[in-house]
Amino acid sequence: MSRFLRLTVLMPILFLTSACVGPLPRIETSPTALANIRTIAVIRPPEPDLYTVINFGNAGMAAVAGVLGGAAAGGVQVNMMAQVTQNLKHENPSIISQALPESITQELNKRGYEARIEDGPWERQEGGAFQLQWDKIDSSADGVLVVIPTIVGFVAKGLTADYMPTVIAGVTLVGKNRNDKLYRGFHSSGWIPSGDGWRRSEPKITFPNFDSILADQQKAAASLRAGAASVAITVAEDLKR
């Protein structure tokens, strides 16, 4: 397995196994800060190279917590993830990079903002992850909302449990000078991480097994779009003035 693929697989797994500690501290918005925000640029996130597929009942998952077990579990996971990714991207190459910013923009506009989608200065780092170059953001908006998906895919709690379409993202709003963090929140639709600080949404549909995800490409893609829409609602609720 290449180093890029190994890291692409193991990073979501390690996030899932460590999620019980909770995300970074939230930054709550204040009425005063939001009063000065009329226009918001929603930065389009990059599409994941691979969609996550995790089953906590897989025997290999027990070894993920140990360094030596990661490669063995990763080999199984990368095959499942590659199948789902190939299936979904055949006709849906831009699921999250389209659905997530569009849904957030629509929800913000409903709440009185003038929100628009803008492309951001994302750069791919060693290991494959994308990182936003904050100092290179070029926008005239009063605030910039950056959405960073950490998990996009399907998660099952055990061998006999349904797979839940899952979208997990961290969201940050910065002000006019791009340095002041006015808000930071953590949102999950589908599989729900343990720990405090999450805004949670239950999945609208689930899949009884891995084969059922592959069997209906359109349903699988639609389920992730629905997850993005649920995340958008909780994001907009947090930014309600």
Side-chain angles (χ1 to χ4, degrees):
M1 188 189 306
S2 71
R3 183 171 182 270
F4 169 74
L5 285 178
R6 183 167 61 251
L7 289 173
T8 302
V9 172
L10 292 182
M11 286 305 292
I13 296 175
L14 291 173
F15 173 89
L16 288 168
T17 57
S18 63
C20 59
V21 301
L24 294 172
R26 285 172 55 89
I27 297 176
E28 302 291 350
T29 57
S30 70
T32 301
L34 291 181
N36 298 321
I37 302 295
R38 180 176 60 87
T39 57
I40 296 180
V42 179
I43 301 299
R44 185 189 307 277
E47 191 73 17
D49 292 304
L50 286 172
Y51 298 117
T52 299
V53 179
I54 297 290
N55 189 316
F56 281 104
N58 188 310
M61 284 299 298
V64 171
V67 176
L68 295 179
V76 176
Q77 296 303 135
V78 73
N79 184 51
M80 297 172 69
M81 293 167 68
Q83 291 182 66
V84 168
T85 300
Q86 181 179 15
N87 214 35
L88 289 180
K89 289 193 175 185
H90 178 66
E91 294 184 10
N92 303 273
S94 303
I95 298 175
I96 289 299
S97 61
Q98 180 178 357
L100 197 51
E102 285 183 354
S103 296
I104 291 175
T105 298
Q106 291 170 5
E107 293 297 330
L108 290 175
N109 287 336
K110 289 178 184 178
R111 289 161 176 79
Y113 293 101
E114 295 179 20
R116 60 180 183 266
I117 301 171
E118 296 186 5
D119 291 321
W122 296 96
E123 292 186 5
R124 191 183 287 276
Q125 304 299 297
E126 183 180 1
F130 284 96
Q131 183 173 331
L132 183 68
Q133 306 303 303
W134 291 83
D135 58 336
K136 296 180 181 179
I137 294 175
D138 183 16
S139 176
S140 61
D142 299 328
V144 172
L145 189 73
V146 176
V147 185
I148 302 179
T150 53
I151 297 291
V152 179
F154 304 88
V155 180
K157 294 181 179 179
L159 284 176
T160 60
D162 285 2
Y163 280 88
M164 294 175 284
T166 297
V167 177
I168 298 177
V171 182
T172 302
L173 176 67
V174 296
K176 193 73 173 179
N177 65 8
R178 308 306 182 233
N179 291 320
D180 295 335
K181 290 183 173 60
L182 307 181
Y183 165 79
R184 181 169 61 209
F186 303 90
H187 302 259
S188 173
S189 174
W191 179 78
I192 300 175
S194 58
D196 298 327
W198 294 94
R199 290 298 309 271
R200 309 160 187 258
S201 303
E202 295 292 335
K204 293 180 171 58
I205 61 173
T206 59
F207 296 84
N209 50 51
F210 176 69
D211 288 340
S212 65
I213 300 173
L214 297 179
D216 194 333
Q217 170 186 305
Q218 296 305 317
K219 182 179 179 181
S223 72
L224 293 179
R225 293 192 192 95
S230 294
V231 166
I233 291 172
T234 54
V235 169
E237 287 175 348
D238 276 0
L239 297 177
K240 183 178 179 181
R241 291 184 288 195

